[in-house]
Amino acid sequence: MARIILLWLLAAGQAAANLPPLPDMGAASDALISPIEERRLGQAFFRNLHQHLDISTDPEIQDYIASLGARLSRASDASGRPFYFFVVMQPEINAFAGPGGYIGVHSGLILATRNESELAAVMAHEIAHVTQNHLKRAIAAAKQLTLPMAAAMLAAILIGTQSPQAAQAALIALQASSLQHQINFTRSHEQEADRIGLQILAESGFDPRAMPSFFERLQQSTRFSGAHIPEFLRTHPVTSSRIADTRARAVEFPYRQYTDSFAYQLTKVKLQVLNGDDLKALRRAFANHARQGTVWQRAAARYGMALIDQRRHRLARSARIFAQLLARFPDQPRFIHGLAGVELAQGRTEAALARYRQALRRFPASSVLRLEYAKALLESGRFENARQLLEDHILERGARQPILFKYLAQAYSGLGQRAEARRYLAEYAYARGDLEEALRHMRAAVKLANGDRILSAITRQRLREFLAEKQAREH
């Protein structure tokens, strides 16, 4: 045991020598890292997650979860703290909060909810863990490590995996075994997150009663499941006393009717289609649902039918359903994109591009339409139009989704600008946590940019930053 501890200290000390350590935070109970350092740690943490998890790049799914998260965080005591919400495409019922306000929700959890308030309840609970600084003990435990190593450690602990880097694996394994308790929320943390989460739900217009009802349903569904317990219950133990406490607090809020948003219903349907194995059976189920329920529920079911027809290349039938939906709901961007996507698949490129242009004149703030239009421009060879649209989007929104770098790489490649294309491929790989691939592309970009003084300076600086991070990871 003494030898293991010594190896752990030597490894941690060597890692800390390569990059400036996180600032000294003092005792875990009375100090935190600065907002700037926490944001950097959160960004590095999110990059590490891409090595282990399938994080959704679907613009519609991302737009929905980000909008819901923004609505909830505005009702919290976040005091301007930034949040970033994302969906993990895995069937497990789970959600987690990381440093820097990064909150992940598994697609399995979304599909397990019966209404939008239940989904909001879990997200409000995770937001409360962030605003109440419940992660500070784990962050404080990593304060002597370099930022890349600390981010890798926190990612490994939070998602229960090890880093793929061989040089880090032993260190992270040792740290995870001894520091797992630092990130497991205590009973008081869970109760506080419940209490704050209920307040967030009420103030953001959702049903506080959804929290105890969802937790109770999870608990009951796993009563005889043995080891097959949802990960959310493992990391957020739900006891009968907690359920009773949240139920007692929830009934103190005034009761009223709560209606699910159309976006929630459409997102659940799309996730069902993306995760579905038997699409024929799923389409039959949607066809049955399309004949019952509210007008919104029937429309959501028909949306599912259209998506399945599109995936199965029943394009004429899919186009007909999307056109009917769009006639009934002309302001729904998902139906605009759905019909345009079918038109592209049918080879009706000009009609699809015209539909996107018209929609963007009506909804210029729609990130979903912008990204889907950019993708359509790339697929149709309009590389300069796509480049301009993407760069304007980044400039206006400060958007940094990995998919933007991939699209820009495609645009510059189509324009024959190889140095820029390799530069953005490097940024795409880096944003997804693949440092080796990022280094390979950035080295190529440096060589290709040799005749361009400004681009050469940019690529050389980024290469130095990537190499410094590689050194910190390997020692």
Side-chain angles (χ1 to χ4, degrees), residues 312-328:
R312 298 180 65 211
H313 302 286
R314 309 293 201 270
L315 299 179
R317 187 164 65 176
S318 179
R320 184 168 59 252
I321 297 174
F322 273 127
Q324 292 168 351
L325 288 170
L326 190 56
R328 178 67 178 82

Side-chain angles (χ1 to χ4, degrees), residues 363-380:
F363 310 107
S366 174
S367 296
V368 171
L369 288 174
R370 284 191 179 195
L371 290 176
E372 297 296 356
Y373 182 38
K375 182 180 178 182
L377 288 169
L378 290 171
E379 292 176 352
S380 60

